[in-house]
Amino acid sequence: MATLDRSLLANVPIFDAYGPRQLDDILASARAIRRPRGAILFEQGEEAVSFFLVLHGRLRAAKLTPAGQQVVVRHVGPREFCGLAVAIGKTTYPATTQAVADSVMLAWPSSIWPDLSRKYPGLVEAMLQVVGERLLDAHSRVVEMATEAVERRVAHALLRLAQQAGKPVKQGVEIDFPISRQDVAEMAGTTLHTVSRVFSAWESRGLIEAGRQRVVIRDPHGLYALAEGAASTQAPSR
């Protein structure tokens, strides 16, 4: 197996505390993999044989509920880990992860987790913090879906995307990867038809600009106010 260059980890804050020899050791068990847009990285329920660090591109993690509804759990971008099932004592992946743009990842075998935990407890602690933050985010979304009208849920979904992958453009803040209305519907726990109606209302007010797989938030402050319940466009309640 070819040796990976430690410069691959240069801009990943979680590795800042480690020197060249330590980084080489951490990379010794890793391999670089590529997935074209649309390709599946791993499936929900599949044995969790690896965990991953995204170097380039963007992934979408989606979970299928017992009722057969697909819910987008998270989008994962550069310098973020995914597939950390082993970190929470799981042997299978809890969601299906797919590339939404051409992506490059580092993959480590889950079997090295005990050795990694022993040799680099600070690294593992940082990974577990990431898992904890994602669980808190998931809890917040559960509360939103149980208590908020659909318009606020859609607004929260777009604001999360802007936080994860927002790029300043002349018109406002663009979500910097292909995102469809169906994706937003699955993030907000609603239907494509409802998201289309909400988007149309928001476009008429100048809040957003939405194309086939492109969303620009033209008025981030206005969208934030709507998400927090300070404004309403009288959109459908479901």
Side-chain angles (χ1 to χ4, degrees):
M1 182 184 296
T3 302
L4 295 172
D5 193 318
R6 69 178 75 101
S7 65
L8 292 171
L9 305 180
N11 296 316
V12 184
I14 200 171
F15 294 105
D16 285 349
Y18 299 100
R21 288 187 179 181
Q22 293 169 311
L23 293 177
D24 287 344
D25 183 47
I26 292 168
L27 283 170
S29 300
R31 60 190 177 95
I33 62 173
R34 288 177 167 80
R35 291 293 184 274
R37 178 181 174 185
I40 299 294
L41 182 61
F42 52 79
E43 298 267 8
Q44 179 177 334
E46 182 182 317
E47 183 182 0
V49 296
S50 301
F51 59 93
F52 308 86
L53 173 68
V54 180
L55 298 178
H56 173 78
R58 184 83 42 181
L59 308 175
R60 178 184 63 199
K63 189 173 182 65
L64 194 66
T65 70
Q69 179 183 6
Q70 180 168 280
V71 177
V72 174
V73 179
R74 184 175 180 83
H75 288 83
V76 183
R79 300 180 297 280
E80 291 188 287
F81 281 92
C82 70
L84 288 171
V86 65
I88 54 174
K90 299 295 184 181
T91 59
T92 59
Y93 295 116
T96 295
T97 297
Q98 180 180 28
V100 295
D102 292 346
S103 301
V104 179
M105 286 77 60
L106 293 179
W108 285 265
S110 295
S111 59
I112 73 161
W113 186 260
D115 188 52
L116 202 65
S117 301
R118 178 181 57 82
K119 295 167 70 174
Y120 305 104
L123 175 62
V124 173
E125 183 180 340
M127 290 184 182
L128 289 173
Q129 183 177 349
V130 169
V131 174
E133 289 171 353
R134 291 179 183 176
L135 286 174
L136 287 175
D137 180 66
H139 291 162
S140 295
R141 291 181 61 187
V142 169
V143 171
E144 288 170 11
M145 290 186 185
T147 63
E148 294 184 355
V150 67
E151 187 180 40
R152 291 181 62 188
R153 301 202 308 266
V154 174
H156 278 299
L158 287 187
L159 290 170
R160 284 192 178 94
L161 289 170
Q163 184 178 31
Q164 294 172 18
K167 177 180 71 175
V169 294
K170 184 178 180 180
Q171 302 97 319
V173 179
E174 181 177 6
I175 309 303
D176 194 23
F177 63 93
I179 184 78
S180 69
R181 298 184 184 199
Q182 182 63 43
D183 293 329
V184 176
E186 291 173 1
M187 289 185 69
T190 187
T191 65
L192 172 61
H193 176 68
T194 297
V195 168
S196 295
R197 291 180 63 186
V198 170
F199 274 19
S200 294
W202 289 356
E203 285 189 284
S204 68
R205 292 179 55 188
L207 287 174
I208 67 168
E209 178 184 315
R212 185 170 177 270
Q213 288 199 319
R214 176 177 179 267
V215 178
V216 177
I217 301 173
R218 300 188 64 183
D219 182 1
H221 295 293
L223 192 65
Y224 178 80
L226 193 152
E228 296 305 307
S232 174
T233 62
Q234 303 297 315
S237 60
R238 293 189 178 185

